[in-house]
Amino acid sequence: MDFELSAEQRGLVDSTRSLLTSMGSATRARSLIDDGAGGGFDDELWDRGVELGWPAVAIAEDDGGLGLQSIELALIAAELGYGLGTTPFIPVVVCADAVSNSAAVEEPKLLQSLSEGSLVASWAFAEHGQPWGPDGLTARAEAADGGFRLTGSKVSVPDADGAQLLIVDAVCDGAPARFLVPTDAEGVRIVRQHTLDVTRSYCDVSFDGVRLDGAALLDSGSAAEASLQRSVLLHTVLVCAELVGIGQQLLAMTVDYVKTRHQFGRPVGSFQAVKHKCADMRIWVQGSTAATYYAAMALDGAPEDAGHAVSVAKAYVSDAINQVAGQALQLHAGIGFTWEHDLHLYLRRARVNAMIAGDAAFHRERLCQMLEDAG
């Protein structure tokens, strides 16, 4: 595959990095913590990102979007990881993708609202103690009074406390189904979790007999299974892309530090042991970049290979970027352990991203199962 960026992709990357740099997104992330917001997303940064077209990137032009693909979403996610952007980008674009591929949506303004940024949506899928996949669904929806009654709970729903709409996956009549659920609906309860990543909001969401009308059904049956699988793969790729950006930032941050930190009369970066560690970091970041971008392009260009490519990426990137974070912390020495230094914020996000969307062990197990199934 050709990993060279097109002129349009380069413009998207440059404009995103320029915005994050000019707004000092890491500093703004700290301000959310210091203000007691506990990791709520940065409204101003999100509004500026909407002006650049972030949520509209992969929405079809006929629906008011830019008509690009998953690789462009991955490029933006990588820049948000690099700049420690605190936005609901990943959940919003995953929801937009699900709505775009549904034939059941009767509200024509829904995609427009998502692309314009006037509506923030999040994806409520993961459940406590359940595997990352359709087999992990225990939330239930039952037909009632011409609509549905939704019961169950979800965990680690990103930015649910700042969203107006949730896409909720549940079991209905023995098969997966997807529902559009307003966060202010009666019976919906949202509680923010205390997580290692203090720059981002993850929430527990419970549904206590939530009444939904018939129009709330996004997909059901085989259509829901296909849509759900697509969301799982896209979400996982974007988490990997954010990890790639984190790795790139940690590498740049570390190389700059070892060039200026002096010991025994010369920069510590001149010591061979330090050079080897930095070289290892670069190799891990480059490998993560290639695996992630291949998976992103496979989602749109080679869907039959997408499941395998995504699991390869998540298994490798989760471990590799955690290794990068560990080396960065060691090479920064004492200053890397301080609250005032930004390194720990990237490390925290790397650790959490490595766990969500299935950790490395989960995806290696999936790859083994794929090999067995292939004979």
Side-chain angles (χ1 to χ4, degrees), residues 122-139 152-158 167-170 178 193 202-207 228 232 235 355-358:
S122 189
W123 180 35
F125 171 62
E127 299 187 14
H128 181 71
Q130 298 299 318
W132 175 256
D135 293 341
L137 293 179
T138 63
S153 61
K154 302 290 181 176
V155 298
S156 301
V157 183
I167 290 183
V168 182
D169 294 302
R178 316 196 78 183
Q193 297 174 321
Y202 290 98
C203 301
D204 292 326
V205 184
S206 61
F207 307 94
L228 175 55
V232 166
H235 180 269
M355 296 299 296
I356 61 176

Side-chain angles (χ1 to χ4, degrees), residues 19-20 23 25 42-49 54 85-87:
L19 172 61
L20 293 168
M23 295 192 70
S25 53
D42 186 337
D43 293 309
E44 184 179 353
L45 178 59
W46 177 240
D47 289 342
R48 295 287 298 277
W54 291 351
T86 52
T87 73

